[in-house]
């Protein structure tokens, strides 16, 4: 009898050790900002952190949505008026990112986003004349933020779709910190925030989707940072003649960006910046994206470019964080500083 009890007891003890030693896990999913979101947090404050985070995500959607008629962005696009200081600050940030990226990122792209309607059920291939008539409305100098208001030049409109989820992930990071969360993951569509390390102390694995298929192109092992992916493959429509029109517009031409990149993943400790940059670098294409990365001074970022000719181009800071996906058949190249 004693012989039988011993292994049983040790098994029970093992169970207890796992249950008592592992931090509490909480998980939630929601659909907001036109995408599926999944949040996971570990620790005593995990449930409260996720409740707060979900509330904030819904509040931000309420402010930043283009389609909700009572949102701040709607108000700005329909004559102006007082808006939440958060909205003004985010618009100011967007203007700075537009200046930094020489206009590749530009929230005044909204009239052209509407014209092409690529994200809608009824996409439209416009004439050159239609595009030409809207191009003069694009330019961040057409936005005037002023304390509690944002005013646009006549006929202009803004679309925060290229930055809102990144900003939201920054806010979720703050909420996690307030609740003492040291381990967790947040996935807001292509916007990922990894909080701290995994509960076992190892880095998180963040998979970069293969834009050419359903699987992964590579995996990054990351700790306490943001990884944001933009790509034409995420939203597009195929015309009757087989031409693919994707959702990121080149503000210089008014057409969907004719990028030699399939996707851009930006890794840095600022989710808003990572989101704006990933959109901008996709518009720029490989050569200009690399020049932009090289020109970053005291506040560098890392990136993974997946090119249309089958290469993965990666910045050197990711060398020790990069896991190849053998079946993905990309040639992997690391840039040097
Ligand atoms: P993302 O997935 O972050 O790259 O954002 C793409 C979304 O941002 C699009 O679906 C549009 O709503 C909007 N957008 C498209 N082109 C641009 C651009 N050049 N700059 C800023 N936002 C854009
Ligand atoms: Mg973006």
């Amino acid at each position: 009898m004693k012989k039988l009890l011993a292994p049983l007891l040790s098994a029970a003890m093992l169970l207890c050790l796992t249950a008592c030693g592992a931090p509490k896990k909480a998980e939630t999913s929601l659909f907001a900002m036109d995408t599926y979101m999944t949040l996971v947090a570990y620790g005593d404050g995990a449930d409260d952190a996720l409740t707060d985070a979900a509330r904030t995500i819904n509040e931000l959607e309420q402010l930043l949505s283009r389609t909700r008629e009572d949102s701040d962005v709607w108000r700005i696009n329909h004559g102006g008026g007082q808006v939440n200081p958060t909205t003004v600050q985010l618009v100011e940030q967007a203007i700075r990112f537009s200046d930094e990226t020489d206009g590749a990122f530009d929230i005044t792209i909204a009239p052209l986003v509407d014209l092409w309607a690529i994200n809608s059920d009824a996409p439209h291939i416009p004439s050159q004349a239609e595009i030409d008539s809207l191009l003069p409305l694009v330019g961040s100098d057409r936005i005037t933020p002023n304390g509690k208001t944002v005013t646009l030049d006549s006929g202009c409109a803004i679309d925060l779709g290229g930055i809102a989820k990144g900003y939201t992930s920054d806010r979720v990071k703050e909420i996690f910190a307030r609740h003492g969360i040291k381990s967790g993951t947040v996935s807001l569509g292509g916007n990922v925030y990894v909080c701290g390390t995994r509960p076992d102390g190892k880095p998180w694995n963040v998979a970069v989707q293969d834009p050419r298929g359903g699987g992964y192109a590579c995996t990054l092992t990351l700790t306490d940072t943001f990884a944001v992916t933009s790509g034409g493959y995420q939203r597009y429509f195929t015309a009757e003649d087989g031409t693919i029109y994707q959702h990121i517009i080149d503000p210089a031409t008014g057409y969907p960006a004719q990028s030699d990149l399939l996707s851009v993943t930006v890794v840095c400790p600022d989710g808003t910046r990572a989101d704006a940059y990933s959109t901008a670098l996709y518009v720029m294409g490989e050569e200009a994206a690399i020049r932009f990365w090289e020109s970053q001074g005291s506040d560098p970022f890392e990136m993974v470019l997946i090119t249309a000719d089958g290469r993965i181009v990666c910045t050197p800071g990711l060398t020790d964080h990069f896991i190849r996906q053998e079946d993905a058949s990309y040639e992997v190249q690391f840039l040097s500083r």
Side-chain angles (χ1 to χ4, degrees):
M1 185 63 186
K2 254 189 184 169
K3 266 190 182 167
L4 241 178
L5 259 179
L8 273 178
L9 276 175
S10 51
M13 262 176 63
L14 209 96
L15 267 180
C16 176
L17 275 179
T18 321
C20 306
K24 179 181 161 49
K25 177 183 179 184
E27 188 166 1
T28 192
S29 298
L30 64 153
F31 187 81
M33 302 183 174
D34 210 18
T35 195
Y36 285 99
M37 303 184 168
T38 311
L39 296 88
V40 179
Y42 292 86
D44 290 341
D47 282 324
D48 289 344
L50 294 194
T51 306
D52 266 11
R55 189 187 310 122
T56 297
I57 289 169
N58 288 320
E59 283 168 5
L60 288 173
E61 177 171 33
Q62 175 62 44
L63 294 181
L64 307 177
S65 161
R66 264 190 84 189
T67 46
R68 288 195 181 198
E69 297 199 5
D70 48 358
S71 77
D72 278 0
V73 170
W74 179 277
R75 193 164 306 136
I76 292 167
N77 286 344
H78 294 81
Q82 197 162 321
V83 293
N84 193 295
T86 295
T87 311
V88 183
Q89 282 157 23
L90 185 56
V91 168
E92 285 169 343
Q93 266 189 289
I95 294 170
R96 280 198 295 277
F97 290 129
S98 188
D99 293 343
E100 277 181 35
T101 61
D102 208 11
F105 180 82
D106 196 324
I107 57 173
T108 60
I109 202 75
L112 283 148
V113 171
D114 287 347
L115 178 66
W116 286 92
I118 286 163
N119 295 340
S120 80
D121 295 335
H124 165 67
I125 303 168
S127 65
Q128 187 63 48
E130 283 177 289
I131 293 170
D132 288 345
S133 71
L134 296 182
L135 269 177
L137 303 175
V138 177
S140 61
D141 55 342
R142 299 185 152 280
I143 313 171
T144 313
N146 190 0
K148 293 178 177 161
T149 62
V150 176
T151 318
L152 304 177
D153 288 1
S154 172
C156 296
I158 58 167
D159 176 349
L160 296 177
I163 198 174
K165 292 196 285 287
Y167 174 73
T168 304
S169 64
D170 277 329
R171 293 287 298 273
V172 173
K173 175 185 169 163
E174 288 169 12
I175 292 167
F176 275 22
R178 257 204 316 277
H179 287 276
I181 303 300
K182 297 197 168 53
S183 178
T185 58
V186 173
S187 171
L188 315 179
N191 289 241
V192 171
Y193 162 55
V194 289
C195 172
T197 61
R198 291 181 349 189
D200 63 5
K202 293 190 177 139
W204 296 101
N205 289 330
V206 177
V208 176
Q209 237 186 300
D210 186 348
R212 298 194 297 204
Y216 302 134
C218 60
T219 301
L220 304 173
T221 56
L222 300 175
T223 304
D224 217 21
T225 195
F226 296 82
V228 179
T229 300
S230 286
Y233 70 97
Q234 291 172 334
R235 287 168 199 255
Y236 62 88
F237 82 95
T238 310
E240 276 173 18
D241 66 0
T243 310
I244 292 175
Y245 297 92
Q246 58 74 32
H247 68 131
I248 299 172
I249 308 282
D250 183 345
T253 64
Y255 280 82
Q258 298 283 315
S259 188
D260 57 359
L261 298 173
L262 299 180
S263 79
V264 176
T265 300
V266 172
V267 178
C268 77
D270 178 332
T272 314
R273 182 172 173 236
D275 197 359
Y277 280 11
S278 65
T279 308
L281 299 188
Y282 180 85
V283 171
M284 288 179 196
E286 181 182 1
E287 214 186 300
I290 292 173
R291 261 188 277 121
F292 183 75
W293 170 77
E294 285 169 343
S295 72
Q296 296 293 298
S298 56
D299 202 8
F301 65 92
E302 304 300 332
M303 65 183 185
V304 178
L305 309 178
I306 303 188
T307 68
D309 62 6
R311 289 170 297 121
I312 295 180
V313 180
C314 210
T315 50
L318 292 173
T319 314
D320 296 335
H321 304 274
F322 187 92
I323 302 173
R324 285 166 199 266
Q325 186 78 25
E326 295 307 337
D327 59 355
S329 78
Y330 287 98
E331 181 196 333
V332 180
Q333 302 174 340
F334 284 95
L335 298 168
S336 48
R337 285 225 186 268

